[in-house]
Amino acid sequence: MQYFNTDNLNQFEKRILETLNLECKKNKKLRIINAAELCGCSTSKISKIVKKLGFNNYKQYVNFINDEYIPEKPASNEFDRIRDFLDNFDLTMVDTFIELLDKHDKILLFGYGPSLFCAQYLEFKLRLFINKTVITITDEFSAASLIDEKTLLIIFSATGGFSSFDNLKKIAREKGGDLLLLIEEYNTSALSDDCQVLFLTDTFQTFTTVPYQKSRIVFFIFIEEVIQHIIKRNENNAVSSDK
């Protein structure tokens, strides 16, 4: 791994990095949410910057800054990979995801093959617990007719490698909407200035290289955690309003 390769950073990102380096050296337990506040940006921007530097995630970056480097984990079978995901689940991903939902009135969900079923499951869950328009779309034509400046388009993808996502990015940009790539595997080639990218894991599925054959269990685990956070927030808001 090549650390601190800043060639891919723009001037704004480099200024964020300067602040981030200083603050993380002062406080190695600095949470990504607090780091984003200090740097004047979003948590997803912090994640994108550290991944552009060559780190797997924010935690690995902080460890490196404080001379506490943790070696990369070797590839393992799928059961071990899921167990590692659960043991090291990053709750900031949930916070980032919910923050994006809160900022938009309309949520569009999209995916190919098995990822489409994940999108439909999230639609079902969100309709129960948030007061927003939530729609799963199955083609680019629907995206073009439904996206506006109040829309968040979330694309589910196991690998993030489909070139047709470029068309959806273009549609979202032209319509003034926001786009989030929700990717299961860690794939730096999916990083883009056109949209936000959220990697759910920092590993790859080793039992197959064919996207439609890959497991989607991480998507469902993530969805359930998002929904539990929303339910808890709704309960807290209800209690507060009763006082």
Side-chain angles (χ1 to χ4, degrees):
M1 178 180 292
Q2 183 180 2
Y3 293 106
F4 282 99
N5 177 14
T6 60
D7 293 342
N8 294 326
L9 301 184
N10 57 42
Q11 291 303 312
F12 176 61
E13 291 170 332
K14 288 179 180 179
R15 289 195 296 271
I16 291 175
L17 180 61
E18 290 177 3
T19 302
L20 198 60
N21 289 342
L22 181 62
E23 296 298 332
C24 287
K25 286 178 181 178
K26 292 179 182 178
N27 178 12
K28 64 181 179 181
K29 295 183 179 181
L30 184 69
R31 297 179 62 203
I32 192 171
I33 293 177
N34 303 119
E37 291 176 353
L38 290 168
C39 294
C41 64
S42 64
T43 55
S44 60
K45 188 64 175 179
I46 297 288
S47 295
K48 180 182 288 188
I49 289 173
V50 298
K51 284 168 182 173
K52 279 187 175 182
L53 293 174
F55 296 97
N56 290 334
N57 49 49
Y58 173 75
K59 181 179 179 181
Q60 189 182 56
Y61 157 79
V62 174
N63 287 333
F64 180 81
I65 283 291
N66 291 282
D67 298 320
E68 296 178 0
Y69 172 66
I70 298 177
E72 294 181 51
K73 299 173 184 176
S76 59
N77 63 43
E78 184 64 4
F79 182 82
D80 287 340
R81 192 182 78 92
I82 300 302
R83 182 168 55 190
D84 177 70
F85 167 73
L86 292 172
D87 289 342
N88 297 284
F89 190 84
D90 185 0
L91 286 174
T92 60
M93 295 190 299
V94 175
D95 295 331
T96 298
F97 190 80
I98 293 176
E99 286 174 6
L100 284 172
L101 296 181
D102 289 341
K103 292 178 181 177
H104 299 82
D105 295 334
K106 185 190 300 180
I107 312 297
L108 299 184
L109 309 171
F110 179 85
Y112 288 121
S115 294
L116 174 61
F117 298 118
C118 300
Q120 291 172 330
Y121 184 70
L122 178 59
E123 176 190 357
F124 170 76
K125 286 285 192 171
L126 288 179
R127 283 176 175 265
L128 294 175
F129 301 108
I130 66 172
N131 186 24
K132 294 178 182 288
T133 300
V134 185
I135 303 172
T136 299
I137 58 176
T138 58
D139 57 76
E140 297 174 14
F141 299 105
S142 298
S145 62
L146 291 172
I147 293 177
D148 56 30
E149 66 278 359
K150 297 181 180 180
T151 301
L152 172 65
L153 172 61
I154 302 173
I155 298 177
F156 286 76
S157 176
T159 64
F162 289 101
S163 59
S164 57
F165 292 157
D166 292 337
N167 293 329
L168 289 170
K169 291 179 185 179
K170 181 180 178 181
I171 292 170
R173 185 169 60 250
E174 291 176 347
K175 297 286 186 175
D178 291 328
L179 187 147
L180 171 68
L181 284 180
L182 189 64
I183 302 176
E184 202 268 25
E185 294 185 341
Y186 181 63
N187 176 14
T188 55
S189 65
L191 290 171
S192 170
D193 292 331
D194 295 329
C195 65
Q196 299 185 69
V197 180
L198 188 60
F199 298 107
L200 296 185
T201 68
D202 57 4
T203 57
F204 294 89
Q205 298 184 34
T206 57
F207 67 90
T208 180
T209 59
V210 182
Y212 71 84
Q213 294 178 348
K214 290 178 180 287
S215 165
R216 262 65 176 184
I217 190 170
V218 166
F219 279 134
F220 288 108
I221 294 172
F222 179 75
I223 289 171
E224 293 299 342
E225 193 64 24
V226 167
I227 296 303
Q228 289 302 312
H229 275 64
I230 292 175
I231 291 174
K232 183 67 174 179
R233 185 178 67 176
N234 291 348
E235 290 174 348
N236 291 338
N237 291 340
V239 171
S240 298
S241 62
D242 290 338
K243 292 181 179 179

